Amino acid sequence: MIGERIEETGTLVRDGGAFVLRRDLGGRYSLELQRVPVDHVEKRVRVTGVIIGDDLVSVEGVTAA
């Protein structure tokens, strides 16, 4: 639901010029990032943020999971 806060774990992957979280629970979120988390690409991460569209998250933080 738009406006819902999330905290999800999964694998951070590049998809063309964008970043996507492949969720541990299944599915994926496209990520709107303020900074590019290059150290976390292709690694398991925890993402916190707010849902702003269909499967689109405005990310507040990315940390190693």
Side-chain angles (χ1 to χ4, degrees):
M1 176 183 281
I2 293 177
E4 180 180 351
R5 295 191 56 72
I6 62 115
E7 183 172 322
E8 292 268 352
T9 56
T11 303
L12 181 68
V13 294
R14 270 189 204 264
D15 185 7
F19 288 92
V20 172
L21 178 70
R22 248 185 319 201
R23 300 168 58 204
D24 287 346
L25 298 175
R28 55 192 267 155
Y29 282 134
S30 295
L31 305 176
E32 184 177 276
L33 297 159
Q34 301 302 317
R35 292 177 273 146
V36 178
V38 293
D39 294 344
H40 296 298
V41 176
E42 296 296 330
K43 296 182 181 166
R44 194 158 176 275
V45 296
R46 178 177 311 281
V47 170
T48 56
V50 176
I51 296 176
I52 58 172
D54 291 336
D55 297 323
L56 177 62
V57 174
S58 176
V59 176
E60 295 170 352
V62 177
T63 58

